[in-house]
Amino acid sequence: MRKTTWAVLMLTIFVGLTLLRDSDSVEADWKFQGPITLTEKTYEKVDAQAAILLDSQTGEIMYEQNADTPYPVASMSKMMTEYMLLEAIKEERVDWDDQIVVSENAAATGGSRVHLVAGEAYPIKDLYEAMAIGSANNAAVAIGEYLAGSTSAFAEQMNLKAAELNLRSSSFVNATGLDTGYGQNEMTTRDVGMLAYHLLNDFPDVVKWTGELSNTNNLKLDGENADWSIAGLDGLKTGYTNAAGYYFTATAKRGDKRLISVVMGAEGDATRFTETKKLMERGFDNG
């Protein structure tokens, strides 16, 4: 009886040791295989303070970097002025053939500008093109005053429209984005991207005008600036402030896919374009 019990005990120990050795082997084999390699595609950091990339059809955010910090947005503010004018045209509150009599205030606005004479009347369409393509500050002020009656009243309307479009971290004090004694316009990169999203989806013909930026910003398809080339580029808006640097909101389309990118706070004029190109290329390649 004792011999039987002893034999059973030894057999149990032997089986247990065998199982333990086998499990050690499995563990050793798993370790030998090494870590799992992730195959998902990622974006390296953009050489700017903030950036975002999104799909213009779905609004899906494909990349973001410091996207919720407000910055002065300078001339990119004019996208809101564009939106509000195009909305007024669509709702038939104003017409492309309307003549705007330019005020002293608008005519005297500095920075990027076109030749406007106070007291003279200009077609809204001409002023819009001067603002959208040439980034003319005096044309933007004239449009804002025509729509709302004054610069301050138009700024109030801009803020109401921002709330309506769910741009939660945007604040406007004028139609241009110029830094003034009473403040300057501020937006996050996320808000700029969503403003561009609404602009393109609500008024898709906007690219007929903003596409001219491929020439005015040296984003050529060939020639000495080929390194900045972005295939399918349709604008949208540049900006610059001494405090925050160089900005560019862009949109490009390839096939059925259109992307929107925003680069804010780049250190150089060329950098905003080269970083935009990187974002766009990765977006189309990873799509």
Side-chain angles (χ1 to χ4, degrees):
M1 186 72 174
R2 288 180 180 176
K3 289 181 179 179
T4 302
T5 302
W6 176 253
V8 170
L9 179 60
M10 291 301 294
L11 179 61
T12 301
I13 292 172
F14 175 78
V15 171
L17 288 173
T18 301
L19 291 174
L20 181 60
R21 185 171 59 254
D22 288 343
S23 66
D24 284 342
S25 256
V26 171
E27 177 70 9
D29 288 343
W30 179 82
K31 288 180 179 178
F32 179 76
Q33 291 173 1
I36 298 172
T37 301
L38 298 178
T39 58
E40 66 176 316
K41 298 176 181 177
T42 58
Y43 294 80
E44 63 185 62
K45 186 176 179 181
V46 173
D47 186 14
Q49 290 178 329
I52 200 164
L53 179 71
L54 61 150
D55 188 304
S56 75
Q57 294 174 311
T58 65
E60 174 192 359
I61 304 298
M62 303 173 69
Y63 173 81
E64 61 181 273
Q65 174 181 312
N66 195 23
D68 296 309
T69 301
Y71 293 100
V73 288
S75 284
M76 290 204 297
S77 310
K78 295 187 181 83
M79 287 194 295
M80 178 61 85
T81 305
E82 288 183 56
Y83 187 96
M84 295 179 68
L85 173 59
L86 293 172
E87 184 178 61
I89 295 287
K90 183 178 181 179
E91 295 175 355
E92 299 182 347
R93 290 184 280 116
V94 299
D95 188 87
W96 284 123
D97 294 327
D98 287 359
Q99 300 284 314
I100 295 180
V101 177
V102 174
S103 69
E104 291 280 357
N105 177 56
T109 303
S112 178
R113 50 188 282 116
V114 291
H115 180 67
L116 297 178
V117 178
E120 294 290 326
Y122 301 85
I124 258 189
K125 188 174 182 180
D126 290 353
L127 293 174
Y128 173 75
E129 290 180 352
M131 174 183 68
I133 300 172
S135 198
N137 292 317
N138 50 358
V141 172
I143 290 170
E145 290 179 342
Y146 185 71
L147 292 177
S150 68
T151 293
S152 59
F154 186 65
E156 290 178 10
Q157 290 187 10
M158 294 173 81
N159 287 313
L160 289 173
K161 183 56 63 178
E164 182 182 319
L165 297 177
N166 201 29
L167 310 182
R168 300 181 179 181
S169 302
S170 299
S171 60
F172 297 93
V173 298
N174 57 43
T176 63
L178 287 172
D179 187 1
T180 66
Y182 49 86
Q184 59 186 317
N185 300 341
E186 291 191 347
M187 299 180 74
T188 63
T189 306
R190 188 182 308 280
D191 280 2
V192 174
M194 290 312 299
L195 175 56
Y197 169 83
H198 287 296
L199 186 60
L200 286 167
N201 282 278
D202 294 347
F203 311 105
D205 285 345
V206 71
V207 295
K208 292 180 180 179
W209 287 283
T210 61
E212 293 294 326
L213 286 172
S214 61
N215 294 320
T216 58
N217 290 320
N218 295 321
L219 289 167
K220 300 176 182 177
L221 297 181
D222 51 28
E224 63 181 359
N225 294 309
D227 288 344
W228 300 352
S229 170
I230 300 174
L233 181 73
D234 289 318
L236 282 163
K237 196 73 193 72
T238 56
Y240 171 78
T241 68
N242 289 326
Y246 294 87
Y247 303 162
F248 186 33
T249 300
T251 181
K253 184 177 181 180
R254 297 182 192 173
D256 295 329
K257 186 172 186 178
R258 178 178 289 281
L259 301 180
I260 297 167
S261 67
V262 183
V263 171
M264 294 175 66
E267 290 187 358
D269 185 21
T271 303
R272 59 179 164 184
F273 299 135
T274 55
E275 294 306 293
T276 293
K277 180 182 179 181
K278 290 177 185 177
L279 272 178
M280 286 291 188
E281 296 295 342
R282 294 168 191 159
F284 284 117
D285 289 346
N286 292 357

